[in-house]
Amino acid sequence: MNNKTFTPVFNQLSLLIAALLGTPVFAQQTPDKEIEQITVTAQKRVQSIQDVPASISAYNGDFLESMGVGELDMLSEITPGLVIQEQSPNNPGFVIRGITSDSGSAQAAPRVSIYYNGADISRSRGSYFEMFDIERIEVVKGPQATLFGTAASVGALSVITNKPEEDFSSSITLGLGNFAAKQAKGYVTGGNETLQGRFAFSYRQRDGFIENKAGDADSQNPNGTHQEDMHGIERTAFRASLRFTPNESITADLTLTHEENDDTGTSFKNGIYAPTGGDTSPYTFVEMSGSPYSAEVLGSDKLGVKRETDDINLTVNWDLSENLMFTSITATRSFDSLEIFDGDGTQAWFLEFAEDAEGDQFSQEFRLLHTSDKLTTIAGISYFTEDGNQGVPFSTEESIYLNCLSALGTGLPCINGDGSVNILTPALTVGAASELPYSALFSNFGESDTFSVFADFTYSVSDNLELTAGLRYVTEDKTSGYSAVSPDSVILTNVGAPGPLLPVVDTNGEKFEASDTFNDWLPRFNILYNLNKNTNLYATISKGRRSEVLDVSSQAGENGAIADVTLVPAEIIWNYETGVKGQALDRSITYSASIFYQDYSDFQVTQQDDAGNFFTANAGSATNIGVETELRALLGDYFDVFANFAYIDAEIDDDSDNGDLAGNRFRLQPEVTVSTGISYNQPLTDNLSLTGSLVYSCRSDIFFEPANAPISGLDISEDAISLVNARVGIANETNSWSVSLFVSNLFDKEYLVDAGNTGGSFGNPTFVAGPPRFVGIEFNMAFGD
């Protein structure tokens, strides 16, 4: 683990700010431009971000491009109160104000709403997407269930893609970088008054940055073949859009998106046992599981992630009159992903896992927006149905398993000092077990049908005072299922302990199910006060809810396995927040600040059982208090600066009723996050401009597991970390081309993305390294009338 403290973070930040502000150009410029007015749709209507009584961070596509934000998880570096963890595209984690939404179980509901062109795509394994041809991103913090739905129990991330345009234009971007990185992305759009089209695409490929030594030629394996290095990516995406405008009152947008991921897999590095010739550092090479003569894992010739998503969205806006608008959003989304990973991160055939997940969803929302001099009304109904399943194959060589599982205490080390793997004496290996690994399959299933009706009223009491009250009623029909195929262990039977190798009751493939219906009322109340034309004050109270979890597994009955059903109560959150939003110096400065208090009951946490399966548990009550601030300023004609700060104190209440987790901090949430950045575009000649950006982000220490405790003596946390990204380039305004050099993680900091993981449940915690320094060059060419 790295020995980092938070003090150097602030020292580095101070030096960077001093250097930037000391640049002579700042003293020579006077602001004669204004920051563009950002409009958002967080309240299901177009508003200035300053007029929304909620904490919102919003960015348009130009700002994201200028700051070099090209991947979803990079939003964390510029957004206070948001953390996005990407182990792989199959396993993203979204954290808003300390609450993590990353469960892959088909039985559990997400906490953070991810919206793609107005439709909910929050299911964890289907929520990742490539960032290309983006119009706007909005991050709304605090419960948004009244207008967004039940998944927005702590907030929502909404992404709106660029729409077709009548005038012809196109753009192509090509890039190269270290680790053999290649990139191509672009778009073309055009049409007439009635029908416009747009096609956008993105392709990214990069070799892995963690060397995989499995299969390398040595004295035991002279014909070995080097395997692909870990954390390599190959991601392809395209989006086709049509806009139909038969008259001035109707606009219909049809968007089809397809994405494919073919990544080399995540390096889960064991913190106890080193690979042959290596060490236990997460940042050096990792041995892949299996014998020295084979790189096969669970029947596949390599580790990795194969994933496909398809998304269809039809949005219709119809102005029924000057004051009344009807909106319909119809959307489907499906994902199919297979991730094969080495759960123990050693050269031993110990914990070989995969995750085979599928999901299909359909949603339909109808709503009306009515405006008058005093009253704005939003009312609607929505329907959401989802069907998903998650299969978890498991494989191990039984005698290796007995050595490596420290709880069984065979007295032999799992891995010898020379890197060889210990196997129990042949007397314990019977028949086929000496050649074929033990294998099992655990599957969970989830079906959900959700219907809701909502209404939201905003009344202007005066020119300065605006009151809002909203309410959503939601009813959910849920079905959860479970099956297990876990045959008896030959070795355990031989030593007089018959039964499955893992503490799971075999259902012989039979699917156990349980169903139930749940409902709730979700209100919100807002006050917006215009202190003056430049400053707004607001206060809000809102209720959030993460749905009940029907956790279905198996237990032993008199005549075999029977269903074991646990109902985890709905997680309820009440959010109390007040803040200020404003602008100054003719909109050359914009700012916002908020303070919030959140009270949780029946706080849900994701944990792992002894078989490596994730499940949802009730941790009792929890409290979260925090402060968030954002500042953006134009310094002269050429420089655009931002600075953000968030302090979040989120923990499970230190109450004896909350069990072993009482007093623990929320996982993945730092107490303090800070980011600042600058972009510039300064003319050099009549045709050429110097462009660039610098983004600095830092966060305090975090815990990766709810227990906040070491596993097998290893610390499952990360100290403070700071990162710097930069880019510099030349742009030709006349010929519409630009060339940029870019670097992420400029100082090549070593840090962790995750720790503990599946191996931690078996006493072998593993560690996932964050990306090293990436450098590259991009060329962009734009065409148009």
Side-chain angles (χ1 to χ4, degrees):
M1 301 289 291
N2 294 323
N3 182 22
K4 307 182 184 73
T5 64
F6 204 56
T7 301
V9 169
F10 285 111
N11 291 339
Q12 295 175 39
L13 178 62
S14 300
L15 290 174
L16 275 172
I17 293 176
L20 291 174
L21 296 180
T23 305
V25 71
F26 287 98
Q28 300 170 3
Q29 304 297 329
T30 57
D32 60 3
K33 297 194 304 182
E34 66 177 32
I35 297 173
E36 73 278 8
Q37 186 79 31
I38 296 181
T39 59
V40 296
T41 54
Q43 296 197 116
K44 304 301 183 183
R45 53 188 169 118
V46 178
Q47 293 177 282
S48 165
I49 192 172
Q50 186 169 321
D51 295 332
V52 180
S55 180
I56 303 177
S57 300
Y59 317 100
N60 61 30
D62 290 340
F63 180 82
L64 296 173
E65 289 281 348
S66 69
M67 292 297 174
V69 179
E71 297 189 49
L72 202 57
D73 59 343
M74 294 180 71
L75 287 172
S76 303
E77 299 175 16
I78 63 172
T79 307
L82 173 70
V83 176
I84 300 178
Q85 176 204 55
E86 186 194 330
Q87 273 191 13
S88 74
N90 184 55
N91 192 19
F94 297 91
V95 186
I96 291 183
R97 290 182 172 175
I99 305 301
T100 300
S101 184
D102 64 350
S103 174
S105 171
Q107 300 178 1
R111 279 169 158 156
V112 176
S113 273
I114 311 301
Y115 268 73
Y116 185 73
N117 287 324
D120 189 342
I121 60 165
S122 305
R123 175 59 60 190
S124 173
R125 298 321 186 232
S127 59
Y128 176 85
F129 50 88
E130 289 289 281
M131 290 263 292
F132 66 104
D133 202 31
I134 300 298
E135 175 188 319
R136 186 175 72 256
I137 293 180
E138 302 172 15
V139 182
V140 193
K141 286 156 279 188
Q144 304 298 322
T146 304
L147 291 179
F148 278 91
T150 56
S153 63
V154 295
L157 189 155
S158 178
V159 176
I160 298 93
T161 61
N162 279 321
K163 300 300 184 287
E165 299 171 354
E166 183 177 341
D167 294 334
F168 170 80
S169 66
S170 63
S171 173
I172 181 72
T173 301
L174 302 175
L176 296 173
N178 60 339
F179 296 97
K182 294 178 279 292
Q183 172 183 285
K185 64 179 180 179
Y187 75 88
V188 59
T189 186
N192 54 42
E193 292 183 359
T194 304
L195 186 65
Q196 304 95 44
R198 191 181 190 100
F199 181 82
F201 70 93
S202 173
Y203 175 79
R204 295 193 299 139
Q205 185 179 10
R206 187 190 66 235
D207 289 348
F209 55 82
I210 299 289
E211 184 183 5
N212 185 359
K213 300 289 288 186
D216 280 3
D218 54 29
S219 59
Q220 293 180 306
N221 182 24
N223 298 317
T225 302
H226 184 71
Q227 303 300 307
E228 290 184 283
D229 293 334
M230 312 305 293
H231 297 280
I233 67 169
E234 184 173 1
R235 300 176 184 177
T236 305
F238 65 81
R239 183 187 308 120
S241 306
L242 286 176
R243 167 164 282 188
F244 179 55
T245 53
N247 54 53
E248 294 182 354
S249 299
I250 297 177
T251 301
D253 286 301
L254 176 65
T255 305
L256 291 81
T257 306
H258 175 80
E259 297 196 15
E260 295 183 11
N261 308 126
D262 189 5
D263 293 4
T264 62
T266 303
S267 166
F268 293 97
K269 186 67 178 291
N270 194 287
I272 299 175
Y273 300 110
T276 304
D279 56 38
T280 57
S281 168
Y283 314 104
T284 56
F285 66 75
V286 55
E287 292 273 10
M288 189 165 66
S289 300
S291 73
Y293 306 103
S294 172
E296 292 185 353
V297 180
L298 294 174
S300 175
D301 61 355
K302 65 174 182 178
L303 304 172
V305 179
K306 292 186 180 296
R307 174 178 175 271
E308 290 190 15
T309 61
D310 287 285
D311 189 284
I312 302 175
N313 183 294
L314 175 62
T315 299
V316 179
N317 288 300
W318 184 5
D319 292 324
L320 299 174
S321 70
E322 183 179 352
N323 299 321
L324 184 63
M325 174 186 284
F326 168 78
T327 297
S328 169
I329 301 177
T330 309
T332 68
R333 188 174 179 88
S334 64
F335 69 89
D336 187 349
S337 64
L338 173 63
E339 180 168 13
I340 300 172
F341 62 96
D342 179 4
D344 59 273
T346 73
Q347 56 270 53
W349 195 286
F350 176 27
L351 303 175
E352 312 316 311
F353 280 94
E355 182 185 55
D356 191 357
E358 295 178 331
D360 295 281
Q361 68 175 63
F362 170 82
S363 62
Q364 175 64 63
E365 180 169 295
F366 299 114
R367 66 173 182 262
L368 289 170
L369 168 63
H370 182 268
T371 59
S372 64
D373 291 340
K374 290 288 188 179
L375 182 65
T376 298
T377 302
I378 302 172
I381 59 174
S382 64
Y383 172 73
F384 181 91
T385 183
E386 179 183 40
D387 185 357
N389 62 81
Q390 178 194 43
V392 182
F394 166 70
S395 176
T396 189
E397 206 292 326
E398 296 166 278
S399 60
I400 294 176
Y401 181 90
L402 291 179
N403 275 330
C404 294
L405 190 66
S406 57
L408 295 181
T410 62
L412 295 174
C414 178
I415 309 293
N416 293 318
D418 61 2
S420 61
V421 179
N422 259 325
I423 300 177
L424 291 182
T425 61
L428 293 179
T429 305
V430 180
S434 62
E435 300 177 3
L436 298 176
Y438 170 95
S439 61
L441 174 64
F442 312 100
S443 302
N444 61 73
F445 310 86
E447 297 179 18
S448 177
D449 290 285
T450 303
F451 175 80
S452 60
V453 57
F454 59 93
D456 195 77
F457 305 93
T458 299
Y459 183 73
S460 297
V461 179
S462 67
D463 292 340
N464 296 329
L465 181 61
E466 187 177 273
L467 303 178
T468 298
L471 183 65
R472 176 182 290 260
Y473 172 76
V474 59
T475 179
E476 299 173 293
D477 293 324
K478 287 195 168 189
T479 299
S480 295
Y482 176 82
S483 69
V485 178
S486 180
D488 291 347
S489 164
V490 175
I491 286 185
L492 289 183
T493 301
N494 195 54
V495 298
L501 193 64
L502 298 177
V504 176
V505 179
D506 189 355
T507 71
N508 293 315
E510 181 182 355
K511 181 179 175 181
F512 295 152
E513 289 187 337
S515 300
D516 209 338
T517 300
F518 311 100
N519 54 72
D520 206 345
W521 297 89
L522 303 169
R524 75 164 185 160
F525 306 95
N526 298 331
I527 299 176
L528 181 69
Y529 182 74
N530 303 119
L531 188 63
N532 53 54
K533 68 176 183 178
N534 293 320
T535 309
N536 287 343
L537 305 176
Y538 73 90
T540 181
I541 300 174
S542 56
K543 177 184 177 182
R545 172 182 177 270
R546 189 193 192 193
S547 302
E548 290 87 348
V549 178
L550 271 175
D551 191 294
V552 180
S553 58
S554 58
Q555 62 179 340
E558 293 183 1
N559 299 313
I562 60 173
D564 181 12
V565 181
T566 301
L567 175 61
V568 182
E571 176 183 287
I572 301 299
I573 170 178
W574 280 97
N575 178 70
Y576 309 90
E577 180 174 341
T578 186
V580 58
K581 298 182 179 184
Q583 60 187 36
L585 300 179
D586 297 324
R587 282 196 62 81
S588 63
I589 295 176
T590 61
Y591 61 89
S592 66
S594 63
I595 182 170
F596 61 87
Y597 173 81
Q598 296 177 333
D599 182 58
Y600 294 86
S601 58
D602 296 317
F603 184 70
Q604 297 177 1
V605 293
T606 300
Q607 297 183 298
Q608 281 182 287
D609 60 24
D610 294 336
N613 294 306
F614 290 92
F615 67 97
T616 304
N618 184 356
S621 60
T623 303
N624 187 3
I625 186 170
V627 176
E628 295 169 348
T629 64
E630 295 186 72
L631 173 69
R632 187 176 172 187
L634 297 180
L635 302 179
D637 292 333
Y638 313 128
F639 293 84
D640 188 343
V641 178
F642 78 88
N644 300 326
F645 170 83
Y647 169 80
I648 297 176
D649 182 13
E651 65 179 29
I652 299 170
D653 292 341
D654 193 5
D655 189 319
S656 59
D657 293 337
N658 292 338
D660 295 338
L661 299 180
N664 288 1
R665 280 170 49 192
F666 293 177
R667 59 184 290 262
L668 296 181
Q669 179 58 55
E671 285 191 338
V672 177
T673 58
V674 177
S675 64
T676 185
I678 182 170
S679 68
Y680 56 90
N681 188 330
Q682 183 173 6
L684 298 176
T685 68
D686 290 341
N687 297 325
L688 297 179
S689 297
L690 177 67
T691 65
S693 66
L694 182 69
V695 177
Y696 176 90
S697 63
C698 58
R699 60 162 173 76
S700 59
D701 62 297
I702 60 173
F703 291 102
F704 289 109
E705 299 290 352
N708 289 187
I711 299 177
S712 298
L714 296 179
D715 192 15
I716 310 300
S717 64
E718 174 72 296
D719 293 329
I721 181 68
S722 60
L723 299 174
V724 175
N725 301 332
R727 61 194 300 122
V728 62
I730 297 292
N732 185 304
E733 302 291 342
T734 303
N735 297 319
S736 300
W737 60 261
S738 64
V739 177
S740 299
L741 300 174
F742 66 87
V743 57
S744 61
N745 192 2
L746 175 64
F747 299 109
D748 204 21
K749 293 290 187 71
E750 293 182 345
Y751 66 100
L752 295 176
V753 171
D754 209 350
N757 303 298
T758 300
S761 299
F762 297 84
N764 278 261
T766 59
F767 301 84
V768 180
R773 177 168 51 225
F774 290 148
V775 299
I777 184 170
E778 284 184 354
F779 171 78
N780 174 265
M781 188 77 184
F783 308 88
D785 293 337

